[in-house]
Amino acid sequence: MRAGHALKTVKLLGRTNQMLSFCFSPALRCTTQAMAKMKISSFCCSSRTSSAQMGLIIFPIICHIQKLESAQFAVVVPDHSVTAIVGEEFVLPCHLSPRMNAQNMEVKWLRPHLSSIVHLYRDGKDQNESQTLEYQGRTELLKDGLSTGSVDLKIHNIRPSDEGLYRCFIRSSTFYRGALLELKVAGLGSDPHLSVEGYQDGGIQVVCRSAGWYPEPEVLWRDLGGRHLPSVSETTSRRDNGLFETQTAFLITERSNQNLSCCIRNTFLNQEKESTIYVADSFFPKVSLWMVFLCVSLVVLFVSIGLILYLCKVKEKLVAELTNVTLDPDTAHPRLIISEDRKSVRQGDTQKDLPDNPERFDYECCVLGCEGFISGIHYWEVEAGDGKYWAVGVARESVSRKGEFMSNLNPEVGIWAVRLYGGQYQVLTSPKIPLTLRHGPSRIRVCLDYEQGQVAFFDADNQAPIFTFPPASFTGERIRPWLWVRGGSQLSLCH
């Protein structure tokens, strides 16, 4: 009887082992078979234990263990920084380990130090409404790889502001993990442009210009032998798009370094761009320096007299009555906060839910004045406050209201303005003209002479001129006050 009972037990456990091997992964089948063998030995030794009861106990326990193990995964990204080129597209790599289907999981790419969502995939589709403004329309989750555990993110039109840490975060119904990835950004600028600027100290000044570099480039002058030469001046500035532009000057003397090259290097990419110039002997001055000085002095004198006469004429026109100007809320960007009397504006922390009418600026934090002018002389005053990012001026009625255009503000697009950008006063021309002011004005006076096509700016406290644009043709189009604010800045129209 005992032998027959043991034979039945072996057959029952054999069938149980087959069922477990069919349900479980290959990694657990050996464990299941070993446990079955141990239980055969146990059952053979003791006929009192029921084989069916043991099978019913073991089966759910092992299934539960298998379910817990299969739900766990790791998120894998490169253990080193990756580099993207400005203006191009780049794929941030990330995948699950072990490889498993991620189509029904939540995938979130974040900028942890900015607390912003770069891209969110949930419930089988992209959730673009949660995406931060800076990345809208620029990211793409590569869904072809989701079935194999790849959650790579493509970023279009790489910008310097994209540089930094990214977190790849993945959540299933029972488990979640994340990993950090560092993105470096680099940009190769334009070929150096060399120009001869004039005579100085018995030599010829050559200026080298280039733009579109990131990070800040290294600038070198070299002779034919490759030796480094000292420059007489060098300036590097960062534009609104985050890219650097540089300008450096070198003085060429007769029969000394007449063959010259300007080299600009991206030290991060270890790449450079170079341009060469040769100045012949015939270009060097053959007249005495005092004659040159006399001619230049006379030119400066006549220009100064003309400028003084013109400024006196402009000041005479300022006798006109101060124009009452208010702000038009229908043109204000959704993040701007307009006061009840429509006399002041500042940037808020959140974007209001406002209708996207054709008159409203949808990207740049700008607002137009309600009043428009098609004739006459008008002026108004704007109080700047303590902010470090603002712009004041006028704009054509037809100025673009949609999309990003802050880096291309100039009279050609219909805007005449001056601004303060991080402590630097500038004229919005192409390229921008830096202003050296003895005292930062607290109130800016904007003067518009429609018939003369003239826009001028003055320090309202002491009547000192700030800048006057060359005459323009408004061609009968309405001209309106224009303001731009950013960060903690606030602009107020004086009563």
Side-chain angles (χ1 to χ4, degrees), residues 222-227:
R222 295 173 179 164
D223 61 12
L224 283 178
R227 292 173 297 182

Side-chain angles (χ1 to χ4, degrees), residues 179-219:
L180 282 175
L181 171 65
E182 183 179 15
L183 175 65
K184 296 285 188 180
V185 175
L188 281 176
S190 60
D191 292 332
H193 175 72
L194 295 173
S195 59
V196 176
E197 298 292 321
Y199 298 102
Q200 179 181 331
D201 300 331
I204 297 176
Q205 181 175 266
V206 178
V207 176
C208 174
R209 298 181 177 89
S210 182
W213 294 84
Y214 189 85
E216 183 174 346
E218 179 184 21
V219 183

Side-chain angles (χ1 to χ4, degrees), residues 357-377:
N357 52 289
E359 296 83 10
R360 190 179 305 283
F361 292 94
D362 67 349
Y363 191 91
E364 303 295 350
C365 290
C366 307
V367 61
L368 294 176
C370 292
E371 294 72 23
F373 310 105
I374 57 174
S375 63
I377 300 174

